[in-house]
């Protein structure tokens, strides 16, 4: 890439520092144009830049209307916001609209370098493949413990990696007492905390070399080693690192645990699919119904929420038809009740498919992985019989 074109949109007095910081970045030659908000559409049509950065002058409603209009016509162009304020709800609103980054004034050189580096990498990846690679962010979630989240997340990462669709990351976002690494007998010096602490100097190669790599080819980022460490992470830190990882990995499978924590909320906003796991018992169904209501209130589109019924063959379990009626949602996928094979795999620290390749549980997770990698959104993924 010889030159990266950038359009800065806003008032000149707010764009001066942005321009100065861009000129400090030497990883690629840049061509920058400054335009007023009311002339932005004309400039974007003419230039078709690699990146747009909107300077926020305080009129949030006007900026939101302009960004919405531009993304309808130029949805292939990455864009970011530079603003004096960084209220969580406001930041999340722009990310939901499709922003690739949120820069807080005064802009730091490292932040600008990271943003330009990501855009450059995305452009080169797109050109080398003829099209932009699909990014799949999948979250495995439930508001009730004991439904098999970590078993599903770990084994799903194994099967997605086997599909050979690019680099896969298994992410443990249960910041207190997560067990992803234990389920796969993986040890790592670096956890989410260390990755965030080194964020300013991070690039894709450094990130990959910092992570544990499972023998089956996927990367693992464990939860913090000390439970209290997760309490000090901010929403911005978590959101920034998730955006960075989204640009590095083709598929991310995250164990989101059972609470609407800062980390979980950040991931839910970015996720392509949310696998809401329940089991065929009354407490689990009540929790799943409540979770669906909360997800809707948070703005999660119904198309990206898929109900996964685990242990559907368990003796005495509630019938699938009643579960669908109670949740007012289709069951997208069913996983069989196989406590012996699941527990044996956990105790040995091996995937189910390694321990019992031909078990019904192993086969079902393989089918689930294949279904998840199909184009989104889906009405129903696949219902295992």
């Amino acid at each position: 890439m010889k030159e990266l074109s950038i359009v800065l949109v806003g008032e000149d007095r707010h764009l001066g520092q942005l321009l100065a910081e861009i000129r400090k970045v030497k990883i690629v030659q840049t061509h920058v144009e400054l335009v007023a908000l009311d002339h932005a559409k004309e400039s974007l049509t003419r230039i078709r830049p690699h990146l747009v950065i909107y300077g926020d002058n305080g009129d949030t409603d006007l900026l939101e209307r302009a960004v919405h209009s531009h993304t309808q016509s130029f949805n292939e162009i990455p864009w970011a916001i530079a603003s004096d304020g960084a209220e969580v709800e406001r930041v999340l609103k722009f990310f939901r609209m499709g922003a690739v980054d949120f820069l807080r004034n005064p802009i730091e050189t490292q932040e600008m370098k990271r943003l330009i580096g990501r855009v450059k990498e995305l452009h080169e990846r797109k050109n080398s493949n003829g099209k932009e690679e699909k990014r799949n962010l999948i979250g495995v979630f439930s508001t009730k413990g004991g439904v098999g989240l970590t078993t599903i997340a770990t084994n799903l990462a194994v099967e997605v990696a086997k599909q050979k669709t690019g680099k896969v990351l298994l992410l443990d976002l249960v910041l207190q007492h997560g067990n992803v690494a234990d389920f796969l007998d993986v040890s790592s010096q670096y956890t989410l905390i260390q990755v965030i602490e080194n964020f300013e100097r991070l690039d894709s190669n450094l990130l990959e070399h910092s992570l544990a790599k499972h023998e089956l080819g996927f990367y693992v980022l464990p939860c913090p080693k000390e439970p209290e460490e997760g309490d000090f992470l901010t929403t911005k830190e978590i959101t920034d690192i998730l955006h960075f990882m989204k640009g590095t990995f083709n598929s991310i499978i995250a164990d989101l645990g059972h609470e609407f924590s800062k980390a979980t909320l950040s991931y839910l906003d970015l996720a392509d699919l949310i696998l809401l796991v329940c089991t065929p018992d009354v407490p689990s169904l009540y929790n799943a119904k409540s979770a669906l209501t909360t997800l809707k209130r948070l703005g999660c589109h119904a198309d990206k929420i898929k109900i996964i019924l685990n242990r559907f063959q368990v003796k005495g379990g509630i019938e699938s038809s009643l579960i669908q009626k109670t949740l007012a949602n289709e069951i997208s996928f069913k996983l069989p009740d196989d406590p012996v094979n699941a527990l044996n795999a956990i105790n040995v620290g091996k995937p189910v498919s390694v321990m019992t390749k031909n078990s019904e549980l192993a086969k079902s997770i393989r089918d689930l992985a294949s279904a998840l990698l199909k184009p989104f959104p889906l009405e129903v993924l696949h219902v295992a019989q």
Side-chain angles (χ1 to χ4, degrees), residues 80-197:
I81 297 287
S83 177
D84 293 330
E87 298 84 1
V88 173
E89 287 302 319
R90 194 147 161 270
V91 174
L92 289 177
K93 181 178 287 188
F94 282 117
F95 276 131
R96 288 183 185 124
M97 293 175 70
V100 298
D101 210 341
F102 190 98
L103 307 171
R104 185 172 183 176
N105 294 323
I107 311 299
E108 295 182 0
T109 304
Q110 284 299 322
E111 283 191 280
M112 187 61 70
K113 181 179 179 181
R114 174 170 49 81
L115 173 58
I116 290 175
R118 282 174 53 204
V119 173
K120 175 178 178 288
E121 185 179 335
L122 286 171
H123 176 75
E124 290 172 347
R125 184 185 295 128
K126 181 176 180 179
N127 282 353
S128 65
N129 291 287
K131 61 179 181 179
E132 188 172 353
E133 292 178 322
K134 177 64 181 175
R135 304 274 137 179
N136 298 323
L137 269 70
I138 300 166
V140 186
F141 181 62
S142 172
T143 51
K144 183 181 182 301
V147 300
L149 283 194
T150 306
T151 293
I152 294 171
T154 52
N155 285 280
L156 189 56
V158 170
E159 299 305 326
V160 169
K162 288 180 181 178
Q163 303 280 333
K164 305 295 184 185
T165 55
K167 290 179 287 190
V168 178
L169 172 66
L170 173 61
L171 174 62
D172 195 342
L173 281 182
V174 184
L175 300 187
Q176 294 187 345
H177 309 295
N179 293 116
V180 158
D182 301 324
F183 274 47
L184 294 171
D185 194 23
V186 169
S187 60
S188 175
Q189 180 182 353
Y190 291 92
T191 70
L192 183 62
I193 297 294
Q194 282 73 49
V195 170
I196 287 177
E197 286 176 347

Side-chain angles (χ1 to χ4, degrees), residues 284-354:
S284 180
L285 294 188
Y286 278 142
N287 280 47
K289 188 171 184 178
S290 175
L292 284 168
T293 301
T294 303
L295 289 168
K296 182 178 180 180
R297 192 168 65 246
L298 290 171
C300 293
H301 197 280
D303 282 345
K304 77 174 186 178
I305 304 170
K306 304 301 175 186
I307 307 296
I308 306 297
L309 178 61
N310 195 19
R311 304 171 190 151
F312 80 97
Q313 295 168 319
V314 67
K315 188 176 181 179
I318 299 172
E319 291 292 329
S320 300
S321 58
L322 183 56
I323 293 173
Q324 292 188 150
K325 183 178 180 180
T326 301
L327 299 180
N329 274 267
E330 292 278 350
I331 295 172
S332 295
F333 208 94
K334 298 176 182 177
L335 294 172
D337 182 42
D338 193 353
V340 174
N341 285 322
L343 188 58
N344 283 342
I346 292 169
N347 288 337
V348 178
K350 299 286 185 182
V352 173
S353 60
V354 171

Side-chain angles (χ1 to χ4, degrees), residues 100 118 137 169 171 173 192 195-196 199 207 221 235-249 252 254 256 262-271:
V100 298
R118 282 174 53 204
L137 269 70
L169 172 66
L171 174 62
L173 281 182
L192 183 62
V195 170
I196 287 177
F199 185 53
L207 177 61
L221 183 55
T235 299
K236 185 180 186 304
E237 287 174 329
I238 296 168
T239 301
D240 283 348
I241 197 65
L242 289 176
H243 273 280
F244 184 83
M245 290 189 292
K246 183 178 181 179
T248 302
F249 296 96
I252 301 177
L256 299 179
K262 287 183 291 186
T264 296
L265 288 171
S266 298
Y267 195 92
L268 291 173
D269 271 319
L270 291 175

